[in-house]
Amino acid sequence: MEMRVAAGRWTPLLLLATLLLASNLVSGSHFRYGTMSWRPIDATDTEVGQTILADPILVRHTVAFEFKAAYRRDYEWGKFFREQYRPPNVAGGTQVWKDGGSCYTEDSCSVLGISNPSNYMLFPFIAQGFYVGWEIKLAVGRSYFELNVTGPNANDELSDTRRPCVSPFDTGDKPICLGTDPSGTVNSYPAGYYPVTQIDPTTNRPVPYDATYPNFVNADTVPCEKVDNADPDYCSPWSQTYGFFFGDNDDNGYPTSTDVVLTITDTNFEVTNVGNYLLGTSSFYHTYRKNGVPTKKKEDFTPWTAYFTGGNRLTYTTERLINNHQGRFRLELTVNLNYPGEVIGKQGYVPNNSPVMTALPVLPVPYTGRSEISANGMLATFQVAGFDPDIDIKAYQGSKLESNEKVYYYLGSPRKMGMLLANQVPDMKYPSRWNREDYEAARKECYQRSCAPTGADAAPFVLVGTGTPGKGATRDGSNAIPAGTNLTLGNNFTDLANGFPLFTYEGTCSECANGDRTCTSLRLLVDGFTTETPLNFTCERYKPWDNKLNLAHQPERLYLDRYSGVVQWETGINPRDVDNATYLTDFWNHRDSGDVSNTKYAKRLAAKGTQPSPEQEPLQPGFYNVVFDVRSYSHDPDCHLKVYDAATLGSISPHTGKAFTLPAPGNGGLYTEAQCKAVDDENMIDIAYVSVPLDFLLFLYPPASWCSKSKCRNTQAGITTFRDEGFYGTQNDVNVLSTGSCTICGGGEWNLYDVSAAGLTDKQLNLTDYTVCLQDDDCKYDFDTVAITPAIEADICKRNTPPKWVDQASAGNDDGNTPTPRLADRPTWSTLRVVPSDPTSALASDPFIDGVPIENVYPGLALFLGQRSSEVRFNLTAVDEDDCVEMQILPIGLFRGYTMYNLDTDGVPTASQACSYASSFAGNDGNIGSTCPYNMKLEFIKRIGTTNQFYRTFVWSANNTLPQVQDPRPPNVVVCFIPFDNYQVGIRRCVNIILLSERFLYWIDARAKLTDVFSGTNDAFNTIVEDCNATRIAGSNENRYQNPCHYTPADLTTFYVSPNHTLEFYMTALQDSGNPPIGIYISEGGTMRANGTVGPPEGATFEYLEYDDKSGKTHLRDPAKRRFTWTPKEGQQCKYVLCFIGNNTRELEESIEFTSTFFWTRPFVPIPALLDERCYTIVVADQQLDMQAGSFVDAAAALPSLTSDCGMTFSMWFYPEGTTTMSLATFGYTKPGETDNIVYMLEWDPVTAVVFHDGITVQDLGQYYRLKFSTGQSYIIQTDAEFCVNEWHFLTFTIAPNGNFVLYLDGVETTHYSDDDRDFHVVAVETGSMPVVDGKVEIIGDILNNNPGYTGFLRIGSFDAVQTFNGMIGDVRIYSRVLTAEEIGAKQFVPLTATSEVGLEAYYKFNDGSQADNTLGNSVGQFNKYRALPPDTADSFCNLAGDTYCNNVAADSPAGPSETEMKAKGQLVTDLSGNGNHAAGCGPDACSTTSTMYFVFAPSPITHPCPEETLPTVVHVDGGNPIFVAGTGFARSQWLKCSFSMSDGSIKVIKAVHNTTGNISCVSPGSPDLTVSALEVTNGGVNFFTNFQLPIYMMERVVSFPETGGKVTIKDACDMIGTNLFSMGAWVYPLSQSSSALEDVISLIGMTSNDQTGLLSVRYNGARFVVYEKIGSTVTPPLGESSAAPAHNMGEGSGWHYVMLSGNTDRLVLYMDGESTELTATSISLSTCDLELGTTTTGRRAFFGYVEELSAFSGFLEACDAYQIMWGN
């Protein structure tokens, strides 16, 4: 980078040793920082008085203001401007206000010579925190006195300054009354009046005379005075006024105002540029009125404007304020008391709040060039802290969370910065030149004094518009321009305002460019001596008037992102050198510095890698004033409901001076609601937003550098900076920790390197001096031997770097470091985000942040989840990588009603702690209101070992004995902190603390108790139920669950829905004054997804809904509502059990623990109140048509398509229940005036089967059935009588064009098995021929088409009241072609896909049943709902404390499906073929009055069965075990079968027994080996199994003996096997590893021949098998033991062992795993005995393990025999 000195640098600092006597300087030297906000009041604001609190109207128009400001600490408080102070009040009394002659009472006014210096207050250091709680009164007044009326004078004229001037350029001074006006004509104005002459420099127009001023005639005419003076006459000018003004008027029409009592919250005693201030806050109330009537705003489109002004800003000469020096400051906000929702007449809404802002009073900012990265990104970068605490009661429905809306950041307009600057020429020369004309006159005067050689003419002044030189002015005053000539230097204003020619200076300033010419001097009193200080003038310094410089203005090259509050400032690299580097990143301007780019959000000023031209000159070091205008949406409905007339109301903003955005064209002069919400439109009308100010100082300085600790001794003082005397790293107290002393070797200040100083080195020009480091004696670099290269310089004199946070390793994981934002929620610091809050950003793509909705988490916030009534504690850990560190971790604001400038640092809350919160929900939440007894505090700063890491612990104490509902702490707050090394500030870190609570969570349903508790008191509950009330039937529970109530279904509800129909229900939950947003999740029974969460079944959705609060706003928080919607498809017929958890924290579903349920334990196990679960059963089932006693379906629409061209096919499934002849389907027609003519009829005909022998009945075989087909000509084909009723049958007949006829019953030959097959079932196929005429058969469609007057009919079911059908019908198919046998067999068990079928004319599935007409609660009409009732129908569990189980007698729906709930008579039967040939259930005119017809839920053989579980799940490998299968959709069908997969890959199909539609049984087949088999079920034969598979374990069986004891007894075993020749053996699997006692495994126990008890036992000792005997009470030693037999998991060979004991009269042998052990022969002889496995006898130890395959023999077995038996031979 090229480094060189920039030309035209600023003058050196002029330091003054004492305060100046002039009051202007005093007032201008003590303001540092200020912000204001307001909020609505509530019942907790007792300070406002009962008169207001008792009147709802007054409450709704009263606000609480919060004012925060910082001032110079050691200013002479009490000397000027009616200021007073006092210490905190003491018990039993109130402290007296003090002043030192500040004119608070006119008798003590110092300007009258009665000043009392002994009463000045400088707040000297006594102790840290000593002044916390002291108060300073900032009064209302003008100059030294109150706003008042004075006079009358000798001319009977009054001076009335009780009104502040409206325009900042209005002096309030009447002009002198003259006989002529400025043009010279006779005065035509009324007597005592004169034309307005004061000029507004921003418009170049006269300042209007305001209608509120005395003696108003019009805006162009002002009263005049007979004797001219400069004192205000009709209003108090901005340049002299101070105090807080609310913006409305009192009953007398004068502006309302108040003295501000500032309570000190922090005092900084460091006498440095960035310290030496006191910080305070003030709260006060005001009720807004217009003409005495409480009013929300000033006019329809004008909010109230409140402001505070209190003097001038810092000076340039003494305090180095570069911009706005000695300017007036003005904190201005707008107040709009709008109540969201009030437009529809609702009550109880909370009014709008203003945004809230905070900042450090003075923010140090080091120079940062284009090629550098600062703490927050490229260039000098920092972020403003702000938020909007708007409370919308409908947003959380009583959850006590405050709804935070977006805020937008703007640079304040000149008006909001105070507008006026003192413009003293030269600096410190009084009086101040607030107006352009005065400034230009002062420039002219100083030019005349300073800028021309003695006796010579000055550079020329030229007459404006003519180029004619005017007479020059000389330094000594000779040749002066004649009196009365108006010379304005450099002013382009061309109006002849006073009738005099205007001259402008066009010289070069060559005579005074160096500023060495004295214009005047300043007289000072120093230590009792008067001194004269020269004040120099230069044209370069005092340029011609420029609104951008001579009115309030923001720092140069400062850019603000309106969405995030991030500020970028192009400062230059240091105070001396130009910055000619390329940009390290793209550089954006966000429209807030005057750019009017058409790009909506931003304009890129420079691209990465570009080098701007010309080179960038550096900004001057020192202080800069910056003011932010922060806005949020006002919610004012007038904005878009009332016409805005720009001609009348104005089109220019008084705040910005820019044109308003006007209503969208074509909208009738109305703004759209979207326009009114577009707060990011800077030029939207004022009523659309609420704005607040933030005014503070930036301190720009060269970055500091320290001598390296590893290279230098750091024993000598270095460069003095703005806060240190040559050393850094030396400060230590409870709030600051240092790492050791380092010599300062560069930067930090500017006056050391004055441009005029001689002999500056290159290092000094670079603002670093590494030689300071090398002054130490033992530095590691030797000047004589080592050349100091730039790399070595950088290693010796190291530049200061900003401190950084040490983040948690993962967000939310408290590892002792700083709470961390999630990655997706962090601001992007490398460059400014163009649209940080854009809904398309990465932030918005993730709707939840660690369990909290993103709407409730501020961008860039870390989230800390605490617990109500529990302490909040976390560390704030920071690191500074410099050699030396002075680390502070500071609070910079606590949002949402708190201040946090003086947190406790000793761990003990104090009475002086600033802590307040006014809950808008105090009445509901038990919040005690404005006093917070549980204080936030920061513990002492601590260092981590010897590292450069430091931490402070944040603690928010709580009373853990209080119920959570009574915890007075607000549940959602934001605290902000910065790490600060006394030179640079790190990135701001804000932590959103959310206090969770175990508040009861309620499913909102129709329980009366809920209504008893909530109705009338809870807007959330009332909103939910208000629409339901209209649909309820008085005195009953009917319709309680109808939409739009959106109630949560009762627990254990069962829903039935058919494929292609839609099931919909809502899960709605509410918390009783709960805290966080509610989450509702599927906890069990759904589909497991890849991320481990449980989702809805395939095809279903479960979505959060935005709850409509009836005011046009929608919310997602509390109550929460989530809609379950599912349209199951064919193949999804099954039973689904879904459980839903409502949780008072809306979490990411990945974090929910879904492994447990409360389904089986409720209601006997209490469930935490913060969550709740309800479980439902969803049965996806087919519908069939149930007919009884003469009903039928008329399906004649398809008949005309059935012709002889291609023939026809008719198929249907039917389930006959009657025992008489029944008609199934009848085809025919009716001639006009005649009876019905039958063409085809299908009948179900009973036949009694008997066996005859020689004509004599031998046996009655019972009744069987056959299918008959007949025509109108009595042509009959029938099947054999071998079919049964009460099961499903499938009939098909086809008629070919040539007359061939085929009748099928229950399929075709390909689905028929041999008679000896286990899966045999009956099939009938009959063939024949129909009459043919001219080669074609006449089919029903031909008859109808050839006889237009005929009316066809197809009656499915009964023909009439005599020929009836009783049973069910399902799946009717009609084709206009002949299906082959192969097609019939392939389609028999398959639901059709109509689009794939050829010739399908009609297809009826009968899934048309609906509850829409039977008042059971479903307005959708596509599903049925049932309620499971508990055995005890009492209300014992239906309570509010644990409402998980609440089934009472007042059920919302039937207990289960019934056959009569879905009417079919007269109902539409949908044709699914797509041809529209819909059918209908017979109506009352056609059906028998005694007949019935209903849609019912029932499976048929084409239904996909859904097996759910088996009993047992384990069967013996040999087969033959009955297996019961539970599930849904089992049809009573001869094709009902189970299949078992075998280990060899084969499939065994077993016929199943139908028990119910939910239960079948089948016998397990044998398996060649142990295996796990997949069991499947089909209703329709072997080719139609579904993929619903259940595991069946085919295993051997063993006996399991528990450790607590168990026994199997074979009685009288000795009678079978004897005692002299016997063998008994078994496989044994020991589980015990204990050798402390012997476990009985196999025993013979009984009586000996001499009647003594006897025992022969094989026992286990933990490692071996041991044989014992016992006769009577005598125990003999062990007879012997086996070889090693390890128990389970005890090493090689552990597990199963085969043990056999074999004996005869001579030998006793123990065989173990094939090995034999000869034992001592037993002497026992049992005459009677039992054989026992295990034992339960007291005193004997039970065997722990498994036993199987016990065998006993009445003979002695040799080893070979034992080995064979061991392996099953």
Side-chain angles (χ1 to χ4, degrees), residues 3 367 573-577 701-705 719 745-754 761-770 797:
M3 307 290 289
Y367 282 89
I573 54 176
N574 61 46
R576 302 186 53 80
D577 299 296
Y701 68 97
S705 300
I719 298 172
C745 56
E749 191 55 282
W750 59 86
N751 59 337
L752 178 67
Y753 306 117
D754 183 11
T761 66
D762 290 340
K763 302 302 177 187
Q764 290 172 324
L765 293 177
N766 285 327
L767 299 169
T768 61
D769 186 1
Y770 72 91
C797 185

Side-chain angles (χ1 to χ4, degrees), residues 1569-1593:
D1569 50 22
L1570 305 182
T1571 186
V1572 57
S1573 173
L1575 182 148
E1576 297 181 79
V1577 179
T1578 178
N1579 287 325
V1582 295
N1583 297 322
F1584 301 99
F1585 286 102
T1586 65
N1587 60 355
F1588 292 99
Q1589 298 179 339
L1590 298 176
I1592 298 295
Y1593 299 93

